[in-house]
Amino acid sequence: MSTSNVQPDPSMIGGISKAPFVFLPNPGRLFRDSASRYERLAEGERLAPYLRFLAGIARAQSNLSDMPNDIPLIPADVLERASISSMPAIDRSQFHDRAGMREVVRRFLPMLDDLVKPASAQQALALVKSAGDDDLDWMVANVMADHLPPDSLAHHLYVAAGVQAYMAVVASRLVASKLVPVSMGVCPSCGGRPIGSIVIGFQGAEGARYAVCGCCLTRWNEVRVKCLSCGSTKGVGYRSVESNGEDATVKAEVCDQCASWTKILYQNKNPSLDMMADDVASLGLDLLMASTEYRRAGYNPFLIGY
Ligand SMILES: [Zn+2]
Ligand SMILES: [Zn+2]
C-alpha cells in the first residue's frame, strides 16, 4: 500500500476553470461501454464469472435504454422549481409507487434469463420475475432509497439494474443547464450518492474530476482533493494497492475528517477505465481499505455483497 496523506495529488496541479458542471448520461452507449469493459477486465481475473455476469447485465441495461417507451420526461416546470430551490431535478421519493417503473423493471428482467449465472442467482431471478406488484414495489422502493436488504441482496440486484437503467434514461432527458449543485456527495439529477469519481482526460476539461451517481449515472464536477462525503479539503490523502502509488490509476481518496473513503479513477491516465466496471474489478482496493479505520462512502449496488 502506498500512503500520501501529506502530499497533494500531483496531477491536480494546473486546475480547471472551464469544466462543465454536469455530463448527463447517454445510457445506451454508457452501458454498452461498461459491458465491453467488464468483459475485458474478466480476462484472467479471479472475479471473471461475476464480471461476465455484470457484462450481460450492462448489455441488457443498454438494450432497455434503447427502447425507452414508458419512461417519463421530467416536466419543465418541475425542473425549473428544483433549479431555483437548489434541489435535485428528480424527486426520487415520487417514483416509489409508480406503476410505470414497475412495468419497466418487468420488461427488463426477462432480458437476463440467458445470462450464465449460479443456480442460486437463477432462482433469485425467477422469484423476482414472479413477484406480485406489492413485492416488486417494495424492492423498487428499497433500491430508490439505496437500501438493499442483505438477506435478499441477489433479488434486489436485478431490480437495482433495471432501476439504474430507468433512472439513467430519465436523467439523460434532463436539461443540463438547469442542474445546480445540491450539496456535497449528492447527485444534482436525482439526489443519489456517488459510486466514486473519475478524473477525465477529454473535452477541454482534462484533469477535471467528476463524481458519478450510482443511481442515474450523471457525472457532476467536484474540485480535486476534496472529500466526496463531508466536503472537507483537509486531511485528504490517497492510497492504492500498487506499491508505487504514483502509477496507480485507481486510488482510494481517504478523509481523516469523517473517516470515509471513495474510489477515484484516473481516466486521464487510462482512458479505458469505467466507473462501474473498474469499481467492481478493483475489489482488491476495497479489501485493503476494509482493514483500515476508513469506511467506504461510495455506493455501488453491484459491490454490496463483497
Ligand atoms: Zn443521480
Ligand atoms: Zn470526509
Side-chain angles (χ1 to χ4, degrees):
M1 182 198 284
S2 80
T3 306
S4 55
N5 267 1
V6 284
Q7 289 173 339
D9 186 357
S11 48
M12 72 161 284
I13 294 157
I16 305 302
S17 56
K18 292 285 178 211
F21 172 51
V22 289
F23 290 110
L24 294 173
N26 175 344
R29 197 181 68 199
L30 193 150
F31 289 120
R32 258 192 308 282
D33 288 351
S34 283
S36 307
R37 182 64 177 162
Y38 276 122
E39 256 150 24
R40 175 90 186 281
L41 289 165
E43 290 164 18
E45 164 68 44
R46 194 168 51 89
L47 279 171
Y50 189 51
L51 293 170
R52 291 206 180 91
F53 171 71
L54 291 180
I57 295 262
R59 229 176 287 113
Q61 288 177 302
S62 169
N63 292 339
L64 185 78
S65 310
D66 287 341
M67 313 180 273
N69 33 341
D70 314 345
I71 300 183
L73 271 173
I74 302 293
D77 60 319
V78 173
L79 264 185
E80 194 64 47
R81 269 203 307 277
S83 187
I84 290 166
S85 51
S86 295
M87 295 294 286
I90 305 166
D91 179 355
R92 291 206 285 170
S93 64
Q94 288 198 0
F95 279 77
H96 281 193
D97 55 359
R98 290 185 64 127
M101 193 165 209
R102 191 200 306 141
E103 293 320 308
V104 171
V105 172
R106 285 223 165 95
R107 195 144 47 81
F108 174 70
L109 296 170
M111 298 180 186
L112 312 175
D113 281 341
D114 294 337
L115 297 187
V116 175
K117 48 183 142 358
S120 57
Q122 187 65 49
Q123 283 160 11
L125 178 60
L127 235 147
V128 180
K129 278 171 66 181
S130 65
D133 289 354
D134 288 351
D135 286 341
L136 197 52
D137 284 350
W138 173 72
M139 285 194 272
V140 169
N142 283 335
V143 168
M144 292 296 273
D146 295 344
H147 169 69
L148 307 190
D151 57 352
S152 53
L153 194 54
H155 311 81
H156 278 81
L157 281 190
Y158 295 117
V159 177
V163 168
Q164 192 180 51
Y166 178 106
M167 292 298 287
V169 171
V170 178
S172 72
R173 295 159 170 178
L174 296 173
V175 180
S177 62
K178 291 287 174 196
L179 298 180
V180 290
V182 176
S183 62
M184 196 62 208
V186 175
C187 170
S189 290
C190 78
R193 286 153 60 196
I195 302 172
S197 64
I198 52 174
V199 176
I200 64 171
F202 61 93
Q203 293 178 353
E206 290 85 355
R209 187 258 283 265
Y210 285 83
V212 183
C213 178
C215 178
C216 76
L217 299 169
T218 290
R219 289 172 290 169
W220 74 95
N221 188 230
E222 293 285 1
V223 297
R224 304 273 290 272
V225 200
K226 183 177 185 180
C227 171
L228 285 186
S229 185
C230 75
S232 175
T233 53
K234 295 200 180 75
V236 174
Y238 296 86
R239 300 194 180 183
S240 60
V241 173
E242 290 81 356
S243 51
N244 179 3
E246 294 293 295
D247 298 335
T249 54
V250 179
K251 293 184 189 177
E253 186 173 68
V254 304
C255 171
D256 288 336
Q257 298 292 313
C258 69
S260 71
W261 71 277
T262 51
K263 235 171 244 181
I264 178 163
L265 273 52
Y266 295 84
Q267 225 177 37
N268 54 341
K269 294 181 185 170
N270 177 1
S272 308
L273 291 172
D274 177 272
M275 188 75 246
M276 285 190 287
D278 284 272
D279 187 23
V280 178
S282 59
L283 180 64
L285 183 55
D286 295 78
L287 299 178
L288 183 89
M289 293 306 294
S291 66
T292 69
E293 67 275 29
Y294 302 99
R295 63 172 175 84
R296 178 175 160 122
Y299 176 76
N300 183 346
F302 304 115
L303 254 185
I304 284 179
Y306 288 92

